[in-house]
Amino acid sequence: MKTIDLKGKKALVTGGSQGIGAEICRHLAACGADVFVNYNRSKEKAEVLVEEIRKAYKTNATCGKANVANATEVKAMFLQMDKEIGNIDILVNNAGFETVNHVLDMEEEEWDSVVNVNLKGPFLCSKEAARRMENHGGGVIINISSIHDAVPRKGLIHYCSAKAGLKMFSKCLSLELADKKIRVVSIAPGAIETNMNREEIARFGKDKFEKWIPQGRIGEVSDVANTVVFLASDLADYINGTDIYIDGAYMNHTIQYDPRPPRKE
Ligand code: NAP
């Protein structure tokens, strides 16, 4: 029987300083991987996480700044990783961000800022990673999408469009890289409580929110991180070019009324 073992593997997680990304870093390190924690604004959180990982898991960890939507900063980040961690085996394109606005009030800058981080960022980072992986026996690229890559939502036209693009990007990339032994998989979370949506959950009420989710609970960051370490491992060697939804069946619950008769005694 095989277990998840990432000893000797070297991983980069974008937006790794908090939320889902930070938990992915912890899980990768817990399975033995050395981890590069990317941050954009949250330097201090990234540094604290690196210390936590070194102490708790005794693997190599470091952090570095890059706006994933900026090609020059992304290139510099990968050179830093080459020096401080080594050749990349696992890339997790996790960095993401959203604003909420009416389409008719949305200016070009707002559209670009969301699409660039959620879609252009994974393109820039995947290119740097894959160029290294192809000379190094292969690797795995995991893109963190969203149920909104398939479920449209008012106020999030830029985010939904970017995540839908990311889903297709993952599929195209897997076709282009499969012969280089590089797998690409998209993971699409439902509602996971993080800084991204904490205020929104509180505004609607957690109880009410959880009633919309068939499994009856909001997801935890570990729900996503558990899936990442599995997909990054050899156990998932034949999983390629597909997408995995982690949402407690939330996205399937579009019809809210229940037509079933009462249960028989
Ligand atoms: P979060 O706590 O707000 O974290 C977002 C992360 O993205 C931060 O670490 C942030 O880094 C990073 N980031 C934002 N812009 C960046 C940029 N230009 N360059 C580099 N990093 C950048 O949100 P989260 O919930 O953990 O989200 C993580 C991913 O999961 C996102 O892709 C999001 O779309 C996706 N997702 C989340 C949910 C959910 O319910 N939470 C559901 C579906 C999908 P800095 O703080 O350093 O700027």
Side-chain angles (χ1 to χ4, degrees):
M1 170 106 74
K2 284 186 181 174
T3 53
I4 295 174
D5 179 6
L6 301 176
K7 272 186 217 83
K9 301 286 183 194
K10 294 164 193 327
L12 187 154
V13 181
T14 67
S17 58
Q18 62 175 327
I20 293 171
E23 194 62 11
I24 291 172
C25 291
R26 291 187 191 95
H27 273 58
L28 288 166
C31 295
D34 296 333
V35 180
F36 187 101
V37 180
N38 157 254
Y39 64 87
N40 187 32
R41 288 158 306 172
S42 304
K43 179 172 193 233
E44 213 172 295
K45 284 185 192 165
E47 287 171 346
V48 169
L49 180 63
V50 162
E51 277 315 302
E52 180 195 328
I53 287 173
R54 286 181 186 157
K55 272 200 196 115
Y57 308 111
K58 316 283 181 231
T59 62
N60 191 7
T62 191
C63 61
K65 188 210 164 339
N67 170 1
V68 294
N70 179 308
T72 309
E73 291 186 28
V74 166
K75 277 196 170 69
M77 171 176 74
F78 274 87
L79 289 173
Q80 184 193 344
M81 175 162 179
D82 293 341
K83 276 196 206 123
E84 295 178 17
I85 297 283
N87 215 325
I88 187 165
D89 302 289
I90 301 162
L91 168 67
V92 185
N93 283 311
N94 164 78
F97 120 90
E98 67 183 26
T99 58
V100 181
N101 207 349
H102 296 265
V103 63
L104 301 183
D105 290 337
M106 195 176 287
E107 300 295 342
E108 185 182 354
E109 293 72 29
E110 186 174 0
W111 172 275
D112 283 350
S113 65
V114 168
V115 173
N116 284 350
V117 173
N118 289 287
L119 182 56
K120 184 175 161 190
F123 161 68
L124 294 174
C125 292
S126 298
K127 211 168 73 173
E128 289 300 319
R131 281 179 172 167
R132 288 160 169 82
M133 288 169 178
E134 74 167 336
N135 296 322
H136 185 66
V140 184
I141 297 174
I142 296 170
N143 294 320
I144 306 297
S145 181
S146 162
I147 56 168
H148 295 301
D149 66 13
V151 178
R153 190 163 179 209
K154 285 179 184 170
L156 288 179
I157 193 166
H158 46 357
Y159 181 77
C160 295
S161 302
K163 292 299 195 186
L166 183 60
K167 177 180 162 132
M168 182 52 77
F169 170 77
S170 303
K171 290 183 189 297
C172 292
L173 195 64
S174 72
L175 287 185
E176 294 219 28
L177 301 181
D179 65 345
K180 303 180 193 317
K181 295 194 167 43
I182 302 170
R183 290 187 294 113
V184 185
V185 185
S186 159
I187 291 183
I192 311 290
E193 192 165 354
T194 67
N195 288 341
M196 188 178 241
N197 54 15
R198 204 158 274 130
E199 274 176 27
E200 190 176 303
I201 292 169
R203 187 151 49 90
F204 287 107
K206 194 165 181 174
D207 287 358
K208 199 169 164 194
F209 213 104
E210 292 192 320
K211 286 205 182 79
W212 297 331
I213 301 170
Q215 231 173 293
R217 71 170 175 90
I218 289 176
E220 293 170 11
V221 287
S222 59
D223 290 315
V224 181
N226 283 329
T227 312
V228 169
V229 290
F230 164 67
L231 289 174
S233 77
D234 291 346
L235 295 180
D237 188 53
Y238 207 50
I239 300 179
N240 199 355
T242 193
D243 28 50
I244 296 180
Y245 289 86
I246 305 175
D247 69 343
Y250 190 21
M251 69 184 289
N252 296 331
H253 201 210
T254 50
I255 298 174
Q256 301 284 330
Y257 69 86
D258 186 347
R260 295 174 300 178
R263 287 288 307 273
K264 291 184 182 121
E265 287 304 312

